[in-house]
């Protein structure tokens, strides 16, 4: 039968029957969306957005059929005015979409087959776009179009957002490295300091350290050389090795006239014989330690030792080349010396002073006419508080009402005679802050892992979840698979926890092909698995 006789209309110029109810109704063919929404037949699988998309493409659909029938672009059922209206509508739709979502990269070229939803740009989106441009302004858009082959502005904007994310990640990396490494060095700069326990560990021929008036020196190479003059030529086999690991303050007594010229003058001490009974910071007895005392009366022949300022002129310049750092003391130990041992150890601005020799001489019976009370009486009152307060007298020192010259002369005298080091603050909160912070982060991560572990534990009976009530379509494309693969796939889909009356299995056989190792075509294998009559031959 002629096709034109079967249908109420044809492509060959027959006038459509407006009363026809066939699915090939002219209006439905030229406007499929109208059919999807049409009266008398509700299609639940076509939503409004799909209908709008189909409605917008009706011009191309109709003109495509007209080209196949040879009638040009304006065939029967489509007039020139309608085509012009459709073209105008598409241009207006493109203008409405232009400029949105590209972050200032330009307009998106939208084809007639694309559906672009125009959404309102939120404030957070505008802020993110601005931040993205701040991070990627140095990359020009023409460069991306030419070198990166990114012709579309939305693609270029997406690329810029990825670069911005990478920049943020790298910045966070450097920030983390700064917190781990740099922040600790800023809060607590690296210090080359040693305690007396550290110094005592270097007492061998290969490593010899000594502490002298608040500084640490490495004399390993120095003690292998010959020193001194006249009869007191020192070598490693005699004296110097016994000094290793000790505080050698007692070996270098300073005349008070040299250390405190404001308080001991040539009139009061013409022969530089005014000394305080120096005992080292480690309380070593010079006589018991067999330490050589570098003083004027020890070697009358040595010209260097005859100089009252031997320590500043000869000893310090020589030892400066071997200096390793400073001596530090634990504040708890210093405070214990003051509170528990009744020793005159004091701290001023983190500097430690051992004033025990001064008060031993000042309180002895040999202190005639208060010869040994050279410091200001107000400073002596601060230093000798009879166990009151703590070893740190910084506040009391600052509260003394004296002129700068008097303060400086008293401070310099104490620094030259009684200074033994500084307070060790390597274990303070300031220096350990980064360690505590990293420990807190590690504990937080462990807590998260513990919480997730506890949340994963199942205490009690496990309740079976309620089967989903949604409709689901399982699409299975097959081509040349064997019957075992097909059977496993179908059985696995049939075992899904969806209700059987809400589950549709849609098997698509892409061609009537016999796969490798099969004796039947793929559609026949599927029919056999589904239990269809072997004699049934479905239409091709």
């Amino acid at each position: 039968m002629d096709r034109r006789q079967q249908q109420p209309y044809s492509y060959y110029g027959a006038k459509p029957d407006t009363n026809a109810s066939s699915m090939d109704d002219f209006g439905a063919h030229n406007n499929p969306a109208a059919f999807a929404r049409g009266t008398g037949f509700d299609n639940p699988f076509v939503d409004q957005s799909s209908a709008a998309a189909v409605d917008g493409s009706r011009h191309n659909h109709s003109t495509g059929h007209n080209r196949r029938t040879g009638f040009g672009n304006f065939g029967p059922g489509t007039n020139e005015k309608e085509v012009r209206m459709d073209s105008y509508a598409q241009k207006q739709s493109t203008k409405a979409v232009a400029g949105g979502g590209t972050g200032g990269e330009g307009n998106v070229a939208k084809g007639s087959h694309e559906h672009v939803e125009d959404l309102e740009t939120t404030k957070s989106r505008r802020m993110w776009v601005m931040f993205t441009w701040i991070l990627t302004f140095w990359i020009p858009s023409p460069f991306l179009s030419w070198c990166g082959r990114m012709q579309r502005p939305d693609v270029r904007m997406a690329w810029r957002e990825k670069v911005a994310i990478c920049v943020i990640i790298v910045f966070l990396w450097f920030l983390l490295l700064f917190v781990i490494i740099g922040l600790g060095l800023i809060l607590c700069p690296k210090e080359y300091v040693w305690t007396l326990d550290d110094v005592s560990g270097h007492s061998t021929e290969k490593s010899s350290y000594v502490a002298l008036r608040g500084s640490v020196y490495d004399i390993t190479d120095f003690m292998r050389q010959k020193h001194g003059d006249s009869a007191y030529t020192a070598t490693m086999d005699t004296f110097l090795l016994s000094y290793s690991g000790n505080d050698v303050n007692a070996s270098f007594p300073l005349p008070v006239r040299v250390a405190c010229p404001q308080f001991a003058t040539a009139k009061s001490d013409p022969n530089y014989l005014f000394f305080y009974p120096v005992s080292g910071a480690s309380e070593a007895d010079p006589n018991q330690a067999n330490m050589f005392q570098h003083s004027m009366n020890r070697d009358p022949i040595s010209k260097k030792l005859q100089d009252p300022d031997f320590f500043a002129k000869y000893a310090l310049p020589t030892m400066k080349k071997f200096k390793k750092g400073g001596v530090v003391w634990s504040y708890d130990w210093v405070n214990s010396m003051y509170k528990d041992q009744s020793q005159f150890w004091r701290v001023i601005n983190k500097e430690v002073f051992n004033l025990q020799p001064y008060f031993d001489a000042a309180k002895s019976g040999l202190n005639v006419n208060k010869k040994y009370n050279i410091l200001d009486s107000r400073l002596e009152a601060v230093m000798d508080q009879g166990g009151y307060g703590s070893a740190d007298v910084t506040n009391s020192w600052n509260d003394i009402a004296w002129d700068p010259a008097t303060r400086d002369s008293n401070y310099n005298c104490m620094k030259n005679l009684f200074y033994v080091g500084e307070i060790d603050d390597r274990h303070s909160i300031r220096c350990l802050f980064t360690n505590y912070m990293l420990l807190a982060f590690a504990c937080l991560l462990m807590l998260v892992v513990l919480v997730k572990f506890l949340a994963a534990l199942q205490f009690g009976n496990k309740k079976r979840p309620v089967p989903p009530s949604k409709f689901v379509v399982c699409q299975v494309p097959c081509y040349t698979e064997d019957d075992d693969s097909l059977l496993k796939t179908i059985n696995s889909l049939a075992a899904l926890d969806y209700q059987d009356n809400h589950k549709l299995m849609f098997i698509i056989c892409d061609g009537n092909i016999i796969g490798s190792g099969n004796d039947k075509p793929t559609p026949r294998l599927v029919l056999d698995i589904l239990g269809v009559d072997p004699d049934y031959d479905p239409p091709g």
Side-chain angles (χ1 to χ4, degrees), residues 46-293:
V46 179
D47 58 8
Q48 295 297 328
S49 61
S50 300
V54 174
D55 187 46
S57 62
R58 62 187 179 90
H59 167 66
N60 292 336
H61 187 66
S62 62
T63 56
H65 281 289
N66 291 332
R67 285 194 294 272
R68 288 196 296 270
T69 57
F71 281 88
N73 291 335
F74 306 100
T78 306
N79 54 62
E80 183 178 357
K81 181 178 180 181
E82 183 181 357
V83 173
R84 288 199 301 269
M85 293 295 291
D86 287 344
S87 300
Y88 176 77
Q90 290 177 3
K91 292 179 181 179
Q92 293 299 111
S93 176
T94 303
K95 291 181 180 179
V97 174
T102 61
E105 273 285 6
N107 298 333
V108 179
K110 181 178 77 69
S112 60
H113 64 284
E114 296 180 358
H115 174 70
V116 179
E117 186 177 2
D118 189 12
L119 299 177
E120 181 182 357
T121 304
T122 61
K123 182 178 179 180
S124 58
R125 171 64 184 173
R126 290 195 299 268
M127 294 179 62
W128 167 246
V129 169
M130 181 177 64
F131 184 70
T132 300
W133 273 102
I134 292 175
L135 295 181
T136 62
F137 73 93
W138 48 275
I139 308 175
S141 296
F143 176 79
L144 298 179
S145 301
W146 172 70
C147 184
R149 298 181 180 180
M150 304 177 192
Q151 303 300 329
R152 291 175 50 183
D154 56 334
V155 174
R156 293 196 297 269
M157 189 60 197
W159 187 86
R160 288 182 182 276
E161 293 183 64
K162 293 178 182 178
V163 172
I165 293 175
C166 292
V167 171
I168 294 174
I169 293 175
V170 172
F171 173 76
L172 293 177
W173 286 348
F174 282 102
L175 180 62
L176 182 61
L177 288 177
F178 170 75
V179 171
I180 295 176
I181 302 176
L183 184 60
L185 295 178
I186 293 176
L187 296 178
C188 185
K190 186 175 179 61
E191 298 177 310
Y192 295 94
V193 294
W194 281 262
T195 64
L196 284 188
D197 291 337
D198 298 331
V199 174
S200 63
H202 296 268
S203 58
T204 63
E205 297 180 6
K206 296 182 179 180
S207 179
S208 299
Y209 285 11
V210 295
L212 175 60
R213 298 195 178 277
S215 299
V216 176
Y217 300 92
D218 182 1
I219 62 171
T220 305
D221 297 330
F222 175 77
M223 68 181 185
R224 293 189 176 98
Q225 309 301 320
K226 291 184 177 181
H227 325 291
D229 49 20
S230 70
Y232 296 96
T233 301
T235 63
M236 183 180 65
D237 297 333
T238 55
F239 297 108
L240 292 183
L241 186 59
S242 63
Y243 289 8
S244 299
N246 293 315
D247 181 332
V248 295
N249 283 1
S251 182
F252 295 89
L254 295 180
V256 176
R257 180 179 169 184
V258 174
C260 308
Q262 299 88 349
F263 306 131
T265 62
K267 182 178 179 180
S268 60
D269 186 21
N271 298 320
Y272 296 94
L273 299 178
F274 185 11
F275 289 90
Y276 281 99
V278 178
S279 59
S282 57
E283 300 299 322
D285 188 341
N287 297 323
Q288 294 180 358
N290 296 321
M291 289 185 179
F292 177 84
Q293 288 190 338

Side-chain angles (χ1 to χ4, degrees), residues 358-379:
Y358 177 85
F359 284 100
D360 285 345
K363 294 182 178 182
S364 67
L366 299 178
N367 187 17
V368 180
N369 298 324
K370 296 185 178 181
K371 175 182 177 181
Y372 293 98
N373 295 95
I374 62 176
L375 297 178
D376 191 279
S377 60
R378 293 167 294 183
L379 178 59

Side-chain angles (χ1 to χ4, degrees), residues 204-441:
T204 63
E205 297 180 6
K206 296 182 179 180
S207 179
S208 299
Y209 285 11
V210 295
L212 175 60
R213 298 195 178 277
S215 299
V216 176
Y217 300 92
D218 182 1
I219 62 171
T220 305
D221 297 330
F222 175 77
M223 68 181 185
R224 293 189 176 98
Q225 309 301 320
K226 291 184 177 181
H227 325 291
D229 49 20
S230 70
Y232 296 96
T233 301
T235 63
M236 183 180 65
D237 297 333
T238 55
F239 297 108
L240 292 183
L241 186 59
S242 63
Y243 289 8
S244 299
N246 293 315
D247 181 332
V248 295
N249 283 1
S251 182
F252 295 89
L254 295 180
V256 176
R257 180 179 169 184
V258 174
C260 308
Q262 299 88 349
F263 306 131
T265 62
K267 182 178 179 180
S268 60
D269 186 21
N271 298 320
Y272 296 94
L273 299 178
F274 185 11
F275 289 90
Y276 281 99
V278 178
S279 59
S282 57
E283 300 299 322
D285 188 341
N287 297 323
Q288 294 180 358
N290 296 321
M291 289 185 179
F292 177 84
Q293 288 190 338
H294 298 77
S295 58
M296 296 172 55
N297 56 356
R298 189 62 182 263
D299 186 5
I301 301 177
S302 174
K303 294 182 179 180
K304 293 181 179 180
L305 284 178
Q306 291 302 314
D307 191 337
D309 202 9
F310 168 82
F311 180 75
K313 288 184 178 180
Y314 303 105
L316 282 183
T318 302
M319 300 297 292
K320 184 178 180 180
K321 298 176 290 185
F322 304 98
K323 185 176 180 179
K324 300 295 292 183
V327 178
V328 291
W329 304 84
S330 169
Y331 178 76
D332 293 337
W333 185 88
V334 174
N335 197 50
S336 175
M337 291 292 291
Y338 169 67
K339 301 288 289 187
D340 301 333
Q341 304 296 327
S342 299
Q343 299 291 315
F344 291 90
W345 285 69
R346 291 294 185 269
V347 178
I348 299 177
N349 295 323
K350 296 185 178 181
E351 293 183 333
V352 181
F353 298 91
N354 180 13
L355 293 167
Q356 189 64 37
Y358 177 85
F359 284 100
D360 285 345
K363 294 182 178 182
S364 67
L366 299 178
N367 187 17
V368 180
N369 298 324
K370 296 185 178 181
K371 175 182 177 181
Y372 293 98
N373 295 95
I374 62 176
L375 297 178
D376 191 279
S377 60
R378 293 167 294 183
L379 178 59
E380 288 184 351
V382 169
M383 296 301 181
D384 185 9
Q385 295 181 345
Y388 172 77
S390 64
D392 191 347
V393 293
T394 302
N395 293 332
S396 300
W397 164 270
N398 294 329
D399 292 339
I400 298 177
W402 49 13
D403 58 276
T406 304
R407 180 191 60 193
D408 292 342
S409 60
N410 279 267
Y411 172 77
N412 292 332
C413 182
M414 287 196 306
K415 188 69 176 287
N416 292 332
L417 289 176
F418 310 114
Y419 174 77
V420 293
E422 296 186 354
I423 291 297
D424 188 3
D425 58 356
R426 292 176 296 177
H427 300 288
S428 62
I429 297 179
R430 175 174 58 87
C431 290
L432 297 179
F433 171 75
T434 53
N435 294 341
Y436 291 147
M437 183 176 60
L438 294 178
L439 179 61
F441 286 157

